[in-house]
Amino acid sequence: MIKAARRALPSLGMVPFLGYLTVFLFIPTVIVVVGAFQDDGRPTLDNVRALGSGPVLHALRQSLVVSASTAVIGAVVGGLLAYAVVTCKPDGAVRRAVTSACGVLAQFGGVMLAFAFIATLGFSGAVTTLVKDSVGVNLYGSGWLFDVPGIILVYSYFQIPLMVIVFLPALDGIKVQWREAAENLGASTWQYWRQVAGPLLLPAFLGSTLLLFANAFASYATAAALVSQGNPILPLFIRSALTSEILLGRANLGYALALEMIVVVAIVMTGYALLVRRTSRWLR
Amino acid sequence: MSASALETREGVEVRLEGLHREFSGVRALDGLDLTLRPGELVALLGPSGCGKTTALRLVAGLDDPDSGRVVVGDRDVTHVPANRRDMGMVFQAYSLFPHLTAQQNVEFGLKLRRVDRSKRAGRARQMLELVGLASQADRFASQLSGGQQQRVALARALAIQPAVLLLDEPLSALDAKVRAQLRDEIRRVQLEVGTTTLFVTHDQEEALSISDRVGVMNQGRLEQLAPPEELYTAPSTAFVAAFVGLMNRIPCRVEAGRASVLGATVRVTDRSVTSGEGIAMVRPEQLVVEASDAGSAEVLQVSFLGSVTHVRVRTADGHELLSQANGAEAARLTVHTPVRVRLVADQLLVSSD
Ligand SMILES: Nc1ncnc2c1ncn2[C@@H]1O[C@H](COP(=O)(O)OP(=O)(O)OP(=O)(O)O)[C@@H](O)[C@H]1O
Ligand SMILES: [Mg+2]
């Protein structure tokens, strides 16, 4: 009896966490799913059917474009930066500076970030004014900063440092002996990357890219602060669905949109889990 | 390539000539000269930080010397990049590629050499058999014990039939029993393939037990290179004498090539002090203790070590000595027993320090 209780004790520690998940993940998910198939308390498929309408599809496509492009930009640039950090000097001052900077920048989203970009690249932003005065080029153009290109630029600002943070451990896991052993066995630098480092890093790289994708896909605050007109991406579409209940004539369209986002993120995270499982076969 | 007969390759001579290597002020190698005869296994022995790993890395081409040469056969390879040196290396830290199975690890070097698939698989299998791991061929490194991983690493290094085999403390992470077993196995395999081998270790038992010759290093230089027995019985410097085996340091006087030690007069070796004060290097087994009421020395401690017993004694002039006694004599000795200490040696090394 006591023994069984003692064995159960560690799982008892999970209770607050499970409670948290229930309140903030499971219950909202259920509400979203149920809500998506209801209108005024009556079951309906209208909301889900509305996902196929032009404006929603457009927002979904733009959301995917923003997420995919910032994930790729973040992964490539962040990956290279992380590699530079690892090779420059282990435990050096540079590394400490870059990692702590990335830690801060990766969290630096929302109104602050949007404002920072508006202040530099907006209509009368500092850089816009400077370039206009000195070179005579109008950086502001027709307001690209407040549409998809702007969102991509601003998101990259936190995607790149996030990549550095999530990809560094994988790079650290690459042992010098592997390189030296490969060299000793006759491998050129290219062959080493192709046959050893590449295969070892690829799952972590793709996994990090998916994580970045999900991160961008679900981001709201930055885009909300940046874009005040139109609904170029899904989270903003949900905002207007929630605030103006008559959008497309569907009161519960917001729930259906949220469901769509959940599905996309679930697909991405499944891919992520598969990648992790692949590597755990040979990594402890 | 026949599957049964192991293909071997004529061993080559390897020469390290005046190797110098400095790391930001630290002299890791300070003029290292060392020649390995074809097919020979030389152990490089020395205290931590004396430059053993550095020497090995220079031979492998993983690092470049500030000056000096590495010559294999009659080819100067000092400036040949590591991936074209044709040397097999086993590292101290586990270095198997984690995303490949044991079999694929062993095949790695062969694949780079464009050996075709079936030949490659056959040879890898043969190498795994040689190290006794054929049944684990499909395992990943994480599924193998430390000893098994090092065996696979050895098989991987041997698979490419390297001109030279380099081993950097391959056993240091293993426990004593596996270590002794694998050490003998390395020797067996080395004799079988006949590859010239440089084996770095700081474990003297390991060095003495498996090598043709042992090189003792100190502060980036070679102190002595000799067969194990000679190294033990005729150390040429005080450092070697003290580093290999146990040694008593007994102050003495030398006159006309003869030293007076513990009441006996003994010839001194070539590289000794020729006259004046010096310190005689005396092995425990060169000191025989006998219980004797007339003895001026006293037993301090008796430690039974299995085949022999170590007896620590204090002489009349206050010197502590370590001596060795066989079973029958040892049984009569206890703490405070008065004993006589007799020196049994034809000649001794007497050093100035
Ligand atoms: N890459 C390096 N950078 C700076 N110093 C180094 C480097 N490699 C070796 N050294 C220094 O050179 C000296 C010799 O090192 P080495 O690794 O050759 O010793 P070792 O004999 O192999 O020692 P151990 O038995 O501890 O492995 C040491 O003082 C070490 O600190
Ligand atoms: Mg070393």
Side-chain angles (χ1 to χ4, degrees), chain A residues 144-199:
Chain A
W144 59 269
L145 183 61
F146 304 108
D147 206 341
V148 169
I151 297 178
I152 290 176
L153 176 72
V154 177
Y155 277 18
S156 300
Y157 190 85
F158 57 77
Q159 294 279 65
I160 292 170
L162 179 63
M163 180 66 182
V164 173
I165 292 170
V166 296
F167 194 52
L168 259 185
L171 282 173
D172 280 331
I174 298 292
K175 291 201 231 160
V176 199
Q177 289 89 20
W178 293 336
R179 184 187 205 118
E180 295 187 340
E183 233 176 284
N184 179 252
L185 290 165
S188 62
T189 303
W190 163 246
Q191 284 169 322
Y192 162 73
W193 278 98
R194 179 74 196 69
Q195 298 185 30
V196 180

Short mmCIF file of all heavy atoms in Angstrom, two decimals, chain A residues 144-199:
data_model
loop_
_atom_site.label_atom_id
_atom_site.label_comp_id
_atom_site.label_asym_id
_atom_site.label_seq_id
_atom_site.Cartn_x
_atom_site.Cartn_y
_atom_site.Cartn_z
N TRP A 144 4.65 48.64 -47.99
CA TRP A 144 4.90 47.19 -47.90
C TRP A 144 5.13 46.73 -46.47
O TRP A 144 4.88 45.59 -46.12
CB TRP A 144 6.12 46.80 -48.75
CG TRP A 144 7.38 47.52 -48.36
CD1 TRP A 144 7.82 48.71 -48.85
CD2 TRP A 144 8.33 47.13 -47.37
NE1 TRP A 144 8.98 49.09 -48.25
CE2 TRP A 144 9.32 48.13 -47.33
CE3 TRP A 144 8.44 46.03 -46.50
CZ2 TRP A 144 10.40 48.08 -46.46
CZ3 TRP A 144 9.53 45.98 -45.64
CH2 TRP A 144 10.50 46.99 -45.62
N LEU A 145 5.62 47.66 -45.63
CA LEU A 145 5.93 47.29 -44.25
C LEU A 145 4.68 46.79 -43.52
O LEU A 145 4.77 45.98 -42.60
CB LEU A 145 6.52 48.50 -43.51
CG LEU A 145 6.95 48.28 -42.06
CD1 LEU A 145 8.05 47.22 -41.98
CD2 LEU A 145 7.43 49.58 -41.44
N PHE A 146 3.50 47.26 -43.96
CA PHE A 146 2.28 46.90 -43.25
C PHE A 146 1.53 45.76 -43.91
O PHE A 146 0.37 45.50 -43.61
CB PHE A 146 1.39 48.14 -43.11
CG PHE A 146 2.12 49.26 -42.44
CD1 PHE A 146 2.54 50.38 -43.15
CD2 PHE A 146 2.44 49.15 -41.08
CE1 PHE A 146 3.24 51.38 -42.52
CE2 PHE A 146 3.14 50.17 -40.46
CZ PHE A 146 3.56 51.28 -41.17
N ASP A 147 2.20 45.07 -44.82
CA ASP A 147 1.59 43.91 -45.46
C ASP A 147 2.54 42.71 -45.32
O ASP A 147 3.48 42.76 -44.53
CB ASP A 147 1.31 44.24 -46.94
CG ASP A 147 0.16 43.39 -47.49
OD1 ASP A 147 -0.13 42.34 -46.86
OD2 ASP A 147 -0.42 43.77 -48.52
N VAL A 148 2.30 41.68 -46.12
CA VAL A 148 3.08 40.45 -45.97
C VAL A 148 4.61 40.65 -45.97
O VAL A 148 5.30 40.14 -45.10
CB VAL A 148 2.65 39.42 -47.04
CG1 VAL A 148 3.63 38.25 -47.09
CG2 VAL A 148 1.25 38.92 -46.73
N PRO A 149 5.17 41.42 -46.91
CA PRO A 149 6.63 41.59 -46.89
C PRO A 149 7.13 42.16 -45.56
O PRO A 149 8.15 41.73 -45.04
CB PRO A 149 6.89 42.57 -48.05
CG PRO A 149 5.71 42.44 -48.93
CD PRO A 149 4.54 42.13 -48.03
N GLY A 150 6.36 43.12 -45.04
CA GLY A 150 6.73 43.72 -43.76
C GLY A 150 6.69 42.70 -42.65
O GLY A 150 7.59 42.63 -41.80
N ILE A 151 5.62 41.90 -42.65
CA ILE A 151 5.50 40.88 -41.60
C ILE A 151 6.68 39.91 -41.68
O ILE A 151 7.27 39.54 -40.66
CB ILE A 151 4.16 40.12 -41.75
CG1 ILE A 151 2.99 41.09 -41.54
CG2 ILE A 151 4.08 38.98 -40.74
CD1 ILE A 151 1.63 40.46 -41.72
N ILE A 152 7.06 39.53 -42.91
CA ILE A 152 8.19 38.62 -43.06
C ILE A 152 9.47 39.24 -42.48
O ILE A 152 10.20 38.61 -41.72
CB ILE A 152 8.40 38.25 -44.56
CG1 ILE A 152 7.25 37.36 -45.03
CG2 ILE A 152 9.74 37.55 -44.77
CD1 ILE A 152 7.28 37.01 -46.50
N LEU A 153 9.69 40.50 -42.83
CA LEU A 153 10.89 41.18 -42.32
C LEU A 153 10.90 41.23 -40.80
O LEU A 153 11.89 40.88 -40.15
CB LEU A 153 10.98 42.60 -42.90
CG LEU A 153 12.15 43.43 -42.38
CD1 LEU A 153 13.46 42.92 -42.96
CD2 LEU A 153 11.97 44.92 -42.70
N VAL A 154 9.76 41.65 -40.24
CA VAL A 154 9.70 41.83 -38.79
C VAL A 154 9.79 40.48 -38.06
O VAL A 154 10.48 40.35 -37.05
CB VAL A 154 8.42 42.59 -38.40
CG1 VAL A 154 8.32 42.72 -36.89
CG2 VAL A 154 8.40 43.97 -39.05
N TYR A 155 9.11 39.46 -38.60
CA TYR A 155 9.18 38.14 -37.96
C TYR A 155 10.61 37.58 -37.98
O TYR A 155 11.04 36.94 -37.03
CB TYR A 155 8.25 37.14 -38.68
CG TYR A 155 6.80 37.21 -38.22
CD1 TYR A 155 6.32 38.31 -37.54
CD2 TYR A 155 5.93 36.15 -38.46
CE1 TYR A 155 4.99 38.37 -37.12
CE2 TYR A 155 4.61 36.19 -38.05
CZ TYR A 155 4.14 37.31 -37.39
OH TYR A 155 2.84 37.37 -36.99
N SER A 156 11.31 37.83 -39.11
CA SER A 156 12.68 37.31 -39.20
C SER A 156 13.51 37.81 -38.03
O SER A 156 14.44 37.15 -37.57
CB SER A 156 13.34 37.75 -40.51
OG SER A 156 12.60 37.24 -41.59
N TYR A 157 13.15 38.99 -37.55
CA TYR A 157 13.88 39.60 -36.46
C TYR A 157 13.89 38.73 -35.21
O TYR A 157 14.85 38.71 -34.47
CB TYR A 157 13.25 40.96 -36.15
CG TYR A 157 14.04 41.81 -35.20
CD1 TYR A 157 15.08 42.61 -35.65
CD2 TYR A 157 13.76 41.78 -33.84
CE1 TYR A 157 15.81 43.38 -34.78
CE2 TYR A 157 14.50 42.55 -32.96
CZ TYR A 157 15.52 43.34 -33.43
OH TYR A 157 16.25 44.10 -32.56
N PHE A 158 12.79 38.01 -34.96
CA PHE A 158 12.85 37.10 -33.79
C PHE A 158 13.08 35.64 -34.19
O PHE A 158 13.49 34.82 -33.38
CB PHE A 158 11.64 37.25 -32.85
CG PHE A 158 10.29 37.04 -33.50
CD1 PHE A 158 9.84 35.76 -33.77
CD2 PHE A 158 9.45 38.11 -33.79
CE1 PHE A 158 8.60 35.54 -34.34
CE2 PHE A 158 8.20 37.91 -34.35
CZ PHE A 158 7.78 36.62 -34.64
N GLN A 159 12.82 35.30 -35.46
CA GLN A 159 13.05 33.92 -35.91
C GLN A 159 14.54 33.57 -35.92
O GLN A 159 14.93 32.48 -35.52
CB GLN A 159 12.47 33.71 -37.31
CG GLN A 159 10.96 33.82 -37.40
CD GLN A 159 10.26 32.55 -36.96
OE1 GLN A 159 10.35 32.17 -35.80
NE2 GLN A 159 9.58 31.89 -37.86
N ILE A 160 15.37 34.50 -36.40
CA ILE A 160 16.80 34.22 -36.50
C ILE A 160 17.41 33.92 -35.11
O ILE A 160 18.03 32.88 -34.93
CB ILE A 160 17.54 35.37 -37.23
CG1 ILE A 160 17.10 35.39 -38.71
CG2 ILE A 160 19.05 35.21 -37.13
CD1 ILE A 160 17.55 36.61 -39.47
N PRO A 161 17.22 34.80 -34.14
CA PRO A 161 17.77 34.48 -32.81
C PRO A 161 17.16 33.21 -32.21
O PRO A 161 17.87 32.46 -31.52
CB PRO A 161 17.44 35.70 -31.95
CG PRO A 161 16.55 36.56 -32.75
CD PRO A 161 16.69 36.18 -34.17
N LEU A 162 15.88 32.95 -32.49
CA LEU A 162 15.28 31.73 -31.96
C LEU A 162 16.01 30.51 -32.54
O LEU A 162 16.30 29.54 -31.83
CB LEU A 162 13.79 31.68 -32.31
CG LEU A 162 13.06 30.42 -31.81
CD1 LEU A 162 13.09 30.35 -30.29
CD2 LEU A 162 11.61 30.39 -32.31
N MET A 163 16.31 30.58 -33.84
CA MET A 163 17.04 29.49 -34.48
C MET A 163 18.40 29.28 -33.81
O MET A 163 18.81 28.16 -33.54
CB MET A 163 17.23 29.79 -35.97
CG MET A 163 17.99 28.71 -36.71
SD MET A 163 17.04 27.17 -36.78
CE MET A 163 18.19 26.11 -37.65
N VAL A 164 19.09 30.36 -33.54
CA VAL A 164 20.40 30.26 -32.89
C VAL A 164 20.25 29.49 -31.58
O VAL A 164 21.01 28.57 -31.28
CB VAL A 164 21.02 31.65 -32.64
CG1 VAL A 164 22.29 31.53 -31.80
CG2 VAL A 164 21.32 32.34 -33.96
N ILE A 165 19.23 29.86 -30.81
CA ILE A 165 19.05 29.23 -29.50
C ILE A 165 18.71 27.74 -29.62
O ILE A 165 19.27 26.91 -28.92
CB ILE A 165 17.94 29.95 -28.70
CG1 ILE A 165 18.43 31.34 -28.32
CG2 ILE A 165 17.60 29.17 -27.44
CD1 ILE A 165 17.34 32.20 -27.75
N VAL A 166 17.80 27.39 -30.53
CA VAL A 166 17.38 25.99 -30.58
C VAL A 166 18.38 25.12 -31.35
O VAL A 166 18.42 23.91 -31.17
CB VAL A 166 15.97 25.80 -31.18
CG1 VAL A 166 14.93 26.45 -30.29
CG2 VAL A 166 15.88 26.32 -32.60
N PHE A 167 19.21 25.73 -32.21
CA PHE A 167 20.12 24.92 -33.02
C PHE A 167 21.51 24.78 -32.39
O PHE A 167 22.23 23.83 -32.69
CB PHE A 167 20.23 25.54 -34.42
CG PHE A 167 20.85 24.64 -35.44
CD1 PHE A 167 20.37 23.34 -35.62
CD2 PHE A 167 21.92 25.05 -36.21
CE1 PHE A 167 20.94 22.49 -36.56
CE2 PHE A 167 22.49 24.22 -37.16
CZ PHE A 167 22.00 22.93 -37.33
N LEU A 168 21.87 25.69 -31.51
CA LEU A 168 23.20 25.62 -30.88
C LEU A 168 23.48 24.28 -30.19
O LEU A 168 24.56 23.71 -30.38
CB LEU A 168 23.36 26.75 -29.86
CG LEU A 168 24.17 27.96 -30.30
CD1 LEU A 168 24.32 28.92 -29.13
CD2 LEU A 168 25.54 27.58 -30.82
N PRO A 169 22.54 23.75 -29.41
CA PRO A 169 22.83 22.48 -28.74
C PRO A 169 23.19 21.37 -29.73
O PRO A 169 24.07 20.56 -29.45
CB PRO A 169 21.53 22.15 -28.01
CG PRO A 169 20.85 23.45 -27.84
CD PRO A 169 21.23 24.28 -29.02
N ALA A 170 22.52 21.36 -30.88
CA ALA A 170 22.82 20.32 -31.87
C ALA A 170 24.25 20.48 -32.39
O ALA A 170 24.98 19.50 -32.53
CB ALA A 170 21.84 20.41 -33.03
N LEU A 171 24.66 21.72 -32.64
CA LEU A 171 26.02 21.96 -33.11
C LEU A 171 27.04 21.60 -32.04
O LEU A 171 28.10 21.05 -32.33
CB LEU A 171 26.19 23.43 -33.51
CG LEU A 171 25.61 23.80 -34.87
CD1 LEU A 171 25.70 25.31 -35.06
CD2 LEU A 171 26.37 23.10 -35.99
N ASP A 172 26.69 21.91 -30.80
CA ASP A 172 27.59 21.57 -29.70
C ASP A 172 27.77 20.07 -29.58
O ASP A 172 28.78 19.58 -29.11
CB ASP A 172 27.04 22.12 -28.37
CG ASP A 172 27.35 23.59 -28.20
OD1 ASP A 172 28.36 24.04 -28.76
OD2 ASP A 172 26.58 24.29 -27.54
N GLY A 173 26.73 19.34 -29.99
CA GLY A 173 26.77 17.88 -29.88
C GLY A 173 27.70 17.23 -30.88
O GLY A 173 28.00 16.05 -30.78
N ILE A 174 28.15 17.99 -31.88
CA ILE A 174 29.07 17.44 -32.87
C ILE A 174 30.48 17.42 -32.28
O ILE A 174 31.05 18.45 -31.99
CB ILE A 174 29.05 18.29 -34.16
CG1 ILE A 174 27.66 18.27 -34.78
CG2 ILE A 174 30.08 17.81 -35.17
CD1 ILE A 174 27.23 16.95 -35.34
N LYS A 175 31.02 16.21 -32.11
CA LYS A 175 32.33 16.11 -31.44
C LYS A 175 33.48 16.32 -32.41
O LYS A 175 33.42 15.90 -33.56
CB LYS A 175 32.48 14.73 -30.81
CG LYS A 175 31.57 14.50 -29.62
CD LYS A 175 32.13 13.37 -28.78
CE LYS A 175 31.10 12.32 -28.48
NZ LYS A 175 31.68 11.05 -28.10
N VAL A 176 34.54 16.93 -31.91
CA VAL A 176 35.74 17.14 -32.73
C VAL A 176 36.29 15.81 -33.21
O VAL A 176 36.79 15.69 -34.31
CB VAL A 176 36.85 17.83 -31.90
CG1 VAL A 176 37.88 18.45 -32.83
CG2 VAL A 176 36.28 18.84 -30.96
N GLN A 177 36.18 14.79 -32.35
CA GLN A 177 36.74 13.47 -32.72
C GLN A 177 36.10 12.93 -33.98
O GLN A 177 36.74 12.20 -34.73
CB GLN A 177 36.51 12.43 -31.61
CG GLN A 177 37.34 12.62 -30.38
CD GLN A 177 36.62 13.52 -29.41
OE1 GLN A 177 35.41 13.69 -29.49
NE2 GLN A 177 37.34 14.12 -28.49
N TRP A 178 34.83 13.25 -34.21
CA TRP A 178 34.17 12.74 -35.41
C TRP A 178 34.84 13.31 -36.64
O TRP A 178 35.07 12.62 -37.62
CB TRP A 178 32.68 13.06 -35.38
CG TRP A 178 31.95 12.33 -34.31
CD1 TRP A 178 32.33 11.15 -33.71
CD2 TRP A 178 30.73 12.72 -33.68
NE1 TRP A 178 31.42 10.80 -32.76
CE2 TRP A 178 30.43 11.73 -32.72
CE3 TRP A 178 29.86 13.79 -33.85
CZ2 TRP A 178 29.29 11.80 -31.92
CZ3 TRP A 178 28.74 13.86 -33.05
CH2 TRP A 178 28.46 12.87 -32.10
N ARG A 179 35.13 14.59 -36.57
CA ARG A 179 35.78 15.22 -37.71
C ARG A 179 37.17 14.61 -37.90
O ARG A 179 37.56 14.25 -39.01
CB ARG A 179 35.91 16.72 -37.46
CG ARG A 179 36.49 17.36 -38.65
CD ARG A 179 36.84 18.81 -38.51
NE ARG A 179 36.80 19.37 -39.84
CZ ARG A 179 35.98 20.32 -40.21
NH1 ARG A 179 35.16 20.85 -39.37
NH2 ARG A 179 35.98 20.74 -41.45
N GLU A 180 37.89 14.49 -36.80
CA GLU A 180 39.26 13.98 -36.91
C GLU A 180 39.28 12.52 -37.34
O GLU A 180 40.13 12.10 -38.12
CB GLU A 180 39.98 14.17 -35.57
CG GLU A 180 40.15 15.66 -35.27
CD GLU A 180 41.01 15.95 -34.06
OE1 GLU A 180 41.16 15.03 -33.22
OE2 GLU A 180 41.50 17.08 -33.95
N ALA A 181 38.32 11.75 -36.84
CA ALA A 181 38.25 10.35 -37.24
C ALA A 181 37.96 10.25 -38.74
O ALA A 181 38.56 9.46 -39.46
CB ALA A 181 37.19 9.61 -36.43
N ALA A 182 37.03 11.09 -39.21
CA ALA A 182 36.68 11.08 -40.63
C ALA A 182 37.89 11.45 -41.48
O ALA A 182 38.21 10.80 -42.46
CB ALA A 182 35.53 12.05 -40.89
N GLU A 183 38.57 12.50 -41.04
CA GLU A 183 39.77 12.96 -41.75
C GLU A 183 40.81 11.85 -41.79
O GLU A 183 41.41 11.55 -42.81
CB GLU A 183 40.35 14.14 -40.98
CG GLU A 183 40.59 15.38 -41.80
CD GLU A 183 41.07 16.50 -40.90
OE1 GLU A 183 40.23 17.07 -40.17
OE2 GLU A 183 42.27 16.77 -40.90
N ASN A 184 41.00 11.24 -40.63
CA ASN A 184 41.98 10.17 -40.51
C ASN A 184 41.65 8.99 -41.43
O ASN A 184 42.55 8.33 -41.96
CB ASN A 184 42.02 9.71 -39.05
CG ASN A 184 42.98 8.58 -38.83
OD1 ASN A 184 42.57 7.45 -38.62
ND2 ASN A 184 44.25 8.87 -38.93
N LEU A 185 40.37 8.76 -41.65
CA LEU A 185 39.97 7.64 -42.51
C LEU A 185 40.00 8.03 -43.98
O LEU A 185 39.68 7.22 -44.84
CB LEU A 185 38.58 7.15 -42.12
CG LEU A 185 38.52 6.43 -40.76
CD1 LEU A 185 37.09 6.31 -40.27
CD2 LEU A 185 39.17 5.07 -40.86
N GLY A 186 40.34 9.30 -44.25
CA GLY A 186 40.53 9.71 -45.64
C GLY A 186 39.48 10.67 -46.17
O GLY A 186 39.43 10.92 -47.37
N ALA A 187 38.61 11.19 -45.31
CA ALA A 187 37.55 12.06 -45.80
C ALA A 187 38.05 13.48 -46.04
O ALA A 187 38.78 14.03 -45.22
CB ALA A 187 36.39 12.08 -44.80
N SER A 188 37.62 14.08 -47.14
CA SER A 188 37.88 15.50 -47.37
C SER A 188 36.85 16.28 -46.55
O SER A 188 35.92 15.69 -46.00
CB SER A 188 37.72 15.82 -48.85
OG SER A 188 36.39 15.57 -49.24
N THR A 189 37.04 17.60 -46.51
CA THR A 189 36.09 18.42 -45.75
C THR A 189 34.67 18.22 -46.28
O THR A 189 33.72 18.04 -45.51
CB THR A 189 36.47 19.90 -45.87
OG1 THR A 189 37.81 20.04 -45.40
CG2 THR A 189 35.56 20.77 -45.04
N TRP A 190 34.55 18.21 -47.60
CA TRP A 190 33.23 18.04 -48.21
C TRP A 190 32.64 16.68 -47.84
O TRP A 190 31.47 16.57 -47.47
CB TRP A 190 33.35 18.19 -49.73
CG TRP A 190 32.18 17.66 -50.49
CD1 TRP A 190 32.19 16.59 -51.34
CD2 TRP A 190 30.83 18.13 -50.47
NE1 TRP A 190 30.93 16.38 -51.84
CE2 TRP A 190 30.07 17.31 -51.32
CE3 TRP A 190 30.18 19.18 -49.79
CZ2 TRP A 190 28.71 17.50 -51.53
CZ3 TRP A 190 28.82 19.35 -50.00
CH2 TRP A 190 28.10 18.53 -50.85
N GLN A 191 33.47 15.64 -47.93
CA GLN A 191 32.97 14.30 -47.58
C GLN A 191 32.56 14.22 -46.12
O GLN A 191 31.60 13.54 -45.77
CB GLN A 191 34.04 13.24 -47.88
CG GLN A 191 34.15 12.95 -49.37
CD GLN A 191 35.38 12.12 -49.69
OE1 GLN A 191 36.44 12.31 -49.12
NE2 GLN A 191 35.24 11.20 -50.63
N TYR A 192 33.30 14.92 -45.25
CA TYR A 192 32.93 14.94 -43.84
C TYR A 192 31.55 15.56 -43.65
O TYR A 192 30.69 15.01 -42.96
CB TYR A 192 33.98 15.70 -43.03
CG TYR A 192 33.50 16.15 -41.68
CD1 TYR A 192 33.32 15.23 -40.65
CD2 TYR A 192 33.18 17.48 -41.44
CE1 TYR A 192 32.85 15.64 -39.40
CE2 TYR A 192 32.72 17.89 -40.20
CZ TYR A 192 32.55 16.97 -39.20
OH TYR A 192 32.07 17.37 -37.98
N TRP A 193 31.33 16.69 -44.32
CA TRP A 193 30.03 17.34 -44.18
C TRP A 193 28.91 16.51 -44.80
O TRP A 193 27.82 16.39 -44.26
CB TRP A 193 30.05 18.74 -44.81
CG TRP A 193 30.64 19.72 -43.88
CD1 TRP A 193 31.93 20.17 -43.87
CD2 TRP A 193 29.99 20.34 -42.76
NE1 TRP A 193 32.12 21.03 -42.82
CE2 TRP A 193 30.94 21.16 -42.12
CE3 TRP A 193 28.70 20.28 -42.23
CZ2 TRP A 193 30.65 21.91 -40.98
CZ3 TRP A 193 28.40 21.03 -41.11
CH2 TRP A 193 29.37 21.83 -40.50
N ARG A 194 29.23 15.91 -45.93
CA ARG A 194 28.25 15.15 -46.66
C ARG A 194 27.86 13.86 -45.91
O ARG A 194 26.70 13.48 -45.86
CB ARG A 194 28.86 14.83 -48.03
CG ARG A 194 28.08 14.02 -48.99
CD ARG A 194 26.97 14.82 -49.61
NE ARG A 194 26.04 13.90 -50.23
CZ ARG A 194 25.27 13.06 -49.57
NH1 ARG A 194 25.27 13.07 -48.26
NH2 ARG A 194 24.47 12.23 -50.21
N GLN A 195 28.83 13.22 -45.32
CA GLN A 195 28.57 11.89 -44.76
C GLN A 195 28.49 11.82 -43.24
O GLN A 195 27.99 10.85 -42.69
CB GLN A 195 29.66 10.91 -45.24
CG GLN A 195 29.64 10.77 -46.75
CD GLN A 195 30.61 9.72 -47.23
OE1 GLN A 195 30.89 8.76 -46.54
NE2 GLN A 195 31.15 9.89 -48.42
N VAL A 196 29.05 12.82 -42.56
CA VAL A 196 29.01 12.76 -41.10
C VAL A 196 28.20 13.92 -40.52
O VAL A 196 27.11 13.74 -39.99
CB VAL A 196 30.43 12.73 -40.50
CG1 VAL A 196 30.37 12.66 -38.98
CG2 VAL A 196 31.21 11.55 -41.05
N ALA A 197 28.74 15.12 -40.63
CA ALA A 197 28.08 16.26 -39.98
C ALA A 197 26.68 16.50 -40.56
O ALA A 197 25.74 16.76 -39.80
CB ALA A 197 28.94 17.51 -40.13
N GLY A 198 26.55 16.41 -41.87
CA GLY A 198 25.26 16.65 -42.51
C GLY A 198 24.16 15.75 -41.96
O GLY A 198 23.18 16.23 -41.40
N PRO A 199 24.34 14.43 -42.13
CA PRO A 199 23.31 13.52 -41.61
C PRO A 199 23.05 13.69 -40.12
O PRO A 199 21.93 13.52 -39.65
CB PRO A 199 23.90 12.14 -41.88
CG PRO A 199 24.90 12.33 -42.95
CD PRO A 199 25.40 13.73 -42.85
#
